[in-house]
Amino acid sequence: MLFRSAEDPAAAAIALLDRAERETVAAIKADKDAWFAAFWDRSFVKLGDDYLENIYYLRRYLMGIGSRGKYPVIFNGGLWRWNRDVINWMTPHHWNTQQQYWGLCAANDCDLMRPYLNTYFDMIPGMRKLATRLGGVHKDKDAILLAEMHNFDGYMVDPFRMDMRYNFTPAAQVASRFFEYFEYTGDTAFLAEKAYPFMKKAANFYLDKLAWNAEKNRYEFHGSVFEDGGGRGPALDPLSDRNGIEALFNACIRAAAILDTDTLLSFRWNQVLEHLWERRLEQEDGIEGEVIAACDEAGKYTARDWMVGGLIAFPEGLIGIDDKDTPLGIAVMNLIRSRHGSMYSHHPVPIIAARMGDGDEALKLLKNGIADMQ
């Protein structure tokens, strides 16, 4: 059963109860049981650790029961609230919300992605307004930008707060989920009607804002490393945007080829990719070996900030296990191992370790993270 918002929630709730009375609880339960029987048959894992396996199945259950309506699951409780009507962190946050949707396609639960994808697609008008306010004025006024804090009706909450003002990556990361859905489903109608339009609009913002440095023969950009909690402001060539641009533009080029469209635009995306600033490796205090530099302004950000030094592996997916012995792969794992098995709930360090082929480190991080958070 799909639940939608209503102009008159009380009347809608009463109508729902009336319907349940007509159809009988037994019939509704039979529908529910049939849905979940098919749901549980779609995928499984065998991890050799009952506790971790149970968390996998609990997570699937929470998404199966909570991500079938109009809007994405609220990250801090979903359908369940622990403190009566007190709801902390009620405003949706991009980073927190997306984490609920990581891995759903891999678990064969692509249908549970639809509330997330449909919501952000419907938010395009509000995202277009923010892009225009922040200078991404595309010639067709068709660039979009997503504030870290926003409402699902498209209203951007405090986009000029200093620790959020220069975070330009959220729309690009959401676009990656659109393309991921297509990759797993092969739904070319979805690609043409929703995914590619969203992706292209997100790419338009970067096309408008990237600055050409003729002396260095490269494009440059000023932004922050995701949420700049210290209010440190923009930095030259932040790694977060470097990763986001590469992942987004590559996906746009692939989508345009599949749809046989935008040949000239694809040429421009590729030209940008060939002239982006290079990633640098550097030493950071407390880390053995080199890490990927967070930006080109020494001391302003570190690879540890939002674990930006590892996000080339996940969620951006630009390198993986085949690259574990390359300088970039080694730098990613230098950063991961500097955590000494500890993790912060917002940072996908176990996934990064797994993507780079270090299963032992991933398992240690996962177990320690669960212990810390529980």
Side-chain angles (χ1 to χ4, degrees):
M1 182 180 295
L2 298 180
F3 295 92
R4 304 294 191 203
S5 58
E7 292 184 6
D8 187 342
I14 291 170
L16 189 63
L17 292 171
D18 288 343
R19 176 184 168 188
E21 188 174 29
R22 289 192 306 271
E23 296 182 2
T24 76
V25 171
I28 293 172
K29 182 179 183 298
D31 286 344
K32 181 267 295 181
D33 289 345
W35 189 90
F36 268 104
F39 174 70
W40 292 124
D41 281 346
R42 294 201 305 225
S43 69
F44 73 95
V45 296
K46 185 64 178 175
L47 302 177
D49 185 306
D50 287 347
Y51 190 71
L52 293 182
E53 269 185 43
N54 287 339
I55 288 178
Y56 170 83
Y57 287 111
L58 175 61
R59 190 269 180 144
R60 278 200 72 211
Y61 170 76
L62 295 177
M63 294 303 290
I65 204 72
S67 189
R68 293 159 58 199
K70 183 176 181 180
Y71 297 110
V73 170
I74 296 296
F75 67 89
N76 59 337
L79 299 180
W80 293 269
R81 299 297 184 186
W82 61 274
N83 194 16
R84 303 178 300 281
D85 291 331
V86 178
I87 303 175
N88 299 317
W89 292 74
M90 181 57 192
T91 300
H93 287 61
H94 151 68
W95 185 267
N96 307 44
T97 300
Q98 71 168 340
Q99 290 186 321
Q100 316 311 306
Y101 291 89
W102 286 344
L104 281 187
C105 288
N108 201 24
D109 292 328
C110 293
D111 56 313
L112 302 182
M113 292 283 290
R114 291 172 192 154
Y116 178 90
L117 301 173
N118 290 336
T119 293
Y120 283 103
F121 186 83
D122 291 342
M123 287 170 57
I124 283 175
M127 297 167 69
R128 185 182 288 120
K129 289 179 182 178
L130 181 61
T132 301
R133 290 178 69 187
L134 290 176
V137 186
H138 188 259
K139 63 182 178 64
D140 299 320
K141 296 186 177 179
D142 208 21
I144 60 173
L145 187 66
L146 177 64
E148 175 64 31
M149 300 180 295
H150 51 269
N151 293 335
F152 289 147
D153 62 0
Y155 176 75
M156 303 298 157
V157 180
D158 203 5
F160 299 105
R161 203 176 86 176
M162 282 309 297
D163 58 346
M164 305 286 187
R165 168 68 174 80
Y166 301 101
N167 180 11
F168 299 119
T169 54
Q173 288 195 328
V174 174
S176 294
R177 304 283 74 77
F178 275 84
F179 193 62
E180 177 188 36
Y181 179 89
F182 163 74
E183 287 185 298
Y184 275 87
T185 63
D187 187 343
T188 53
F190 173 82
L191 181 66
E193 295 165 10
K194 288 192 173 181
Y196 183 59
F198 190 99
M199 294 158 57
K200 186 161 67 169
K201 295 175 199 300
N204 282 343
F205 179 81
Y206 278 117
L207 285 180
D208 292 342
K209 294 288 285 183
L210 284 163
W212 178 250
N213 186 321
E215 182 179 345
K216 295 182 179 180
N217 192 39
R218 73 180 194 188
Y219 287 99
E220 296 180 337
F221 188 79
H222 281 83
S224 65
V225 174
F226 299 121
E227 294 180 35
D228 168 21
R232 285 168 279 178
L236 177 65
D237 296 343
L239 184 57
S240 49
D241 292 281
R242 175 64 170 78
N243 291 336
I245 292 168
E246 183 174 346
L248 176 60
F249 283 23
N250 276 326
C252 284
I253 291 169
R254 288 178 59 195
I258 292 167
L259 298 173
D260 193 22
T261 188
D262 289 331
T263 302
L264 292 178
L265 190 53
S266 293
F267 177 83
R268 188 177 179 199
W269 287 324
N270 190 64
Q271 193 263 345
V272 170
L273 290 173
E274 291 177 348
H275 293 86
L276 281 175
W277 63 95
E278 294 291 333
R279 297 181 181 88
R280 296 184 300 104
L281 301 182
E282 65 178 14
Q283 294 280 157
E284 285 189 9
D285 291 342
I287 300 177
E288 184 177 345
E290 293 181 315
V291 294
I292 308 174
C295 65
D296 278 342
E297 291 186 36
K300 193 155 194 177
Y301 293 105
T302 75
R304 283 195 178 103
D305 290 328
W306 289 89
M307 288 303 288
V308 70
L311 301 183
I312 186 175
F314 186 85
E316 303 300 358
L318 296 169
I319 65 172
I321 189 171
D322 291 339
D323 308 289
K324 65 180 182 178
D325 296 323
T326 67
L328 287 177
I330 293 169
V332 166
M333 289 311 303
N334 288 340
L335 175 64
I336 296 300
R337 291 176 182 133
S338 75
R339 305 285 301 190
H340 303 296
S342 67
M343 63 169 284
Y344 178 51
S345 61
H346 282 5
H347 302 166
V349 284
I351 309 173
I352 296 169
R355 290 289 179 95
M356 297 309 299
D358 194 330
D360 292 339
E361 190 71 18
L363 183 60
K364 178 169 64 175
L365 286 160
L366 185 62
K367 287 186 173 181
N368 289 351
I370 290 169
D372 287 346
M373 286 180 274
Q374 293 186 350

